[in-house]
Amino acid sequence: MTAVDLQPGVPTPSEERKESGGGFLGVIRANYDLLVAPAIVVVGLIVMVAYVGSQTLDTIEERALEPANVFGQLGQHLLLTAYSTVLVLIIAVPLGIVLSRPGARRIQGGVLALGGFAQALPPFGVLLLLGFWEFGVRSAVIGLTLAALLPVLRNTVVGLQQVDQSLIEAARGMGMSARQTLFSVEIPLAVPVIVAGLRVALVLNVGTATLATYIGAGGLGELVQQALRLNRINLLFVSGAIIAAVALLVDWLAGVAERAIVARSG
Amino acid sequence: MSETENMIVLEAVEKVYPGSTSPAVERLDMAIPRGEIVMLIGPSGCGKTTTLKMMNRLIEPTGGRIILDGDDVTDVNGDQLRRKIGYVIQQGGLFPHYSIADNIGVVPKMLGWDKNRIKERADELLHLVGLEPSTYRDRYPRQLSGGQQQRVGVARALAADPPVMLMDEPFGAIDPITRDRLQDEFLEIQRTVGKTICFVTHDLQEAVKLGDRIAVFGTGGRLAQYDDPDTVLTHPADDFVSDFVGGGAAVRRLSLLELSRLELHPIETDAAAVGNRNGTPVAEVDGSGRPVSWRHLPDRDAATTTLVTVPLSGTVYDAVDVMLDGSASLVAVVDDEGLPQGVLHWNDLVAGLKTRERGA
Amino acid sequence: MNVFQYFSANSQQILFLTQAHFLYVLICVGIGSAISIVLGLIVSTGEPNPNRFSFDWWATGVREGSLLITAAVLTVPSLALFVLFLPITGLGVTTAIIVLTVYSLYTVLRNTVAGLRSVDRAVLESARGLGYGRIRRLLTIQLPLAWPVILNGIRVTTLISISIAVVGSIVQGPGLGQLLLTGITRIGAANAFPQVLIGTFMCLVVAAVFEIFFAIVQRLTIPRGIRV
């Protein structure tokens, strides 16, 4: 499980490079940070394959690393991630919009402060507590969703908050209703921040999903659990590498999608 | 020896930025006399700021020599050099986490002064720039207005009593009224401290008002003219300078002419002089001898003409201002006590002003 | 057995683990922040100056590179990172500390770099004009002015680390995660649920202690002139 804090106002390295030239080279130059994750993944996987090739695996390890087994767990993992991220999107974004309305200004500050503090609440614990209610995928998805809710909520509120007040005034001044202003001015301008929050949620979910195995919901964490139980160092190493690679690639895809969405929204 | 007369000498100083073919400042020779205010002016991108920053080597010249008070400082340690040269910039650049007194004490502290001396110096300078030490010493920059911050900036630059001050549009970001007052105070301070000052501005009015000399820079870092303000206004060296100085030159020149330097027309205050044949205006005075209204004017009705006065310490510009304001065609020039010293006519402006040799 | 009964019966163990959790986070965030701030300062000595090429290119390279790599590390699920260190450092506290420290690098590094860069150009220029050298400028002007941003980065990292530290128990790291792990293996037992609940909840207590700690540090270390 992982958490990325997004502080508005403090530029991340990628935010500063938006204006470098056009054309193909320009795109590469503006997005060279997106090359880092694939590079790490490729090098890491080469190292892993070389390492595994040099070792003689016993039958337990071979069985655990059978493609059918690994891909089955990968499928479960991605499914858990996808379900929970979609749920987060459905719940947190509208809730964030509601919270950003003038009527909710008073509870907004409290929710944001709580959101910061709640980062200390371990998703692992939330997941396990739900396990007492029910073992399985349903609990896992709920747990993942709860754990990733706050970053998106927070970014939605902050994203809407930072929209230039004079633009909103201009829109109202031209006769747009509050509703029209929200949908045609505020939300489009807040999209980059909201999308960044969703990316954080996605990465969080990929991470927390590794722990879903502790409440019997499968996923790639099962490999780790198995390796720990059987005390197989090779298997541990391989499973760690696979999980890391999956997380980096998911984040990378999300990063590419984020750039595309933000570029479109202007 | 010229080295004692000139505080700063630039010899063939040149700046070419990396990756640029044309120089930002082109082989510049310039001498700044001790105790004078030299204004660097020109359109943006003309190299005036670059020139200023080369004097304390904030920007390293790519050619030539810089001589400060007779010493070649082209290659000495830049940080050490800058501690001996005052520096004021447009935005003040006060350190927000230091109190006002600490800000002023920055250079003395680096030079190893003891605490009491730094504290005394800070108070002294706050006083000099017109800020009450007990009120302002422990405040922080954000608690001060822009004008006050700029005063502190000047005080900070003066802290270690450097012989030279470099000022980069120090009043550029200040509202016009405050700027005018700061300029007056600045001249007042300079009268006390007598520094050699190099001052970048984009405001010709400011250059004329403050400068003993004006250096007009043309595009491409060329020094187009370097003269006293009067000469720059009346005899521009070339078309560029004359364009830059523009059509308002004659009017601007008025602010250079001090009334005390003019040959004024006489004025009478004695009622017996009414109807005199020589055309001297007669004013009615109050108990302490200050003129209040016209008793007699040779060529017009004295009763319908307002009597306006201008202090002798003012300039012709001030006199014109007063006349326009009072719809009067003449103005009485008065001394510090308000006693009449002479008269200036509107016609004099057109006919040509006569200056007199001022005795020491 | 309800939560309160469990708590009073095991208070000593719970408090011990809470304390261990606190220290574990404190040590890792402490080491990680120290590394990040020093690294951030070093890569920020290269200043935006069109006249100098000498030092800047590698400082910029190291800055961007370390930001990208530490950001990538933060993307890797903590379980995977703990596990990847196992073959090298084995089960136990060493692995737990290394991984949590590595996790805490990015946020502080990013805030250090951004904070140092966000200092007003006019302030830096006048410092230079008054004869401040590069190092003096960095340490007496930039660092104090960037400190609120850096401190906030440390605070955020601490909160995140508290929740990540729990996972460290899977590789036999110290702290409250042990309550969670033993609780879930004894699911069905009467005190399993209170155990997990308290393990989770005590993380918030640790967070609250840290928040108080940071409020005090903030009060004490942020210069008066820039306090909001």
Side-chain angles (χ1 to χ4, degrees), chain A residues 1-2 7 16-17 33 236, chain C residues 64 74 83 117 152 167:
Chain A
M1 119 203 91
T2 211
Q7 256 187 308
E16 292 170 27
R17 278 190 299 275
D33 54 312
L236 266 179
Chain C
E64 295 295 303
L74 209 50
V83 162
R117 284 169 133 203
N152 193 43
V167 182

Side-chain angles (χ1 to χ4, degrees), chain A residues 105-195:
Chain A
R105 280 280 148 83
R106 242 177 305 146
I107 51 171
Q108 189 191 70
V111 171
L112 288 185
L114 196 71
F117 189 66
Q119 289 181 98
L121 190 70
F124 191 25
V126 174
L127 210 57
L128 294 187
L129 287 173
L130 282 161
F132 283 95
W133 166 64
E134 186 188 285
F135 250 52
V137 174
R138 210 151 54 141
S139 293
V141 170
I142 295 174
L144 263 61
T145 307
L146 286 176
L149 214 53
L150 280 165
V152 180
L153 187 65
R154 189 149 154 243
N155 270 43
T156 307
V157 173
V158 170
L160 287 167
Q161 230 171 23
Q162 55 150 43
V163 172
D164 191 347
Q165 205 57 36
S166 63
L167 287 177
I168 297 172
E169 237 168 74
R172 297 305 299 271
M174 286 184 289
M176 281 192 189
S177 68
R179 200 189 165 80
Q180 283 168 324
T181 311
L182 175 65
F183 284 103
S184 54
V185 178
E186 293 176 70
I187 292 181
L189 286 173
V191 157
V193 186
I194 298 175
V195 170

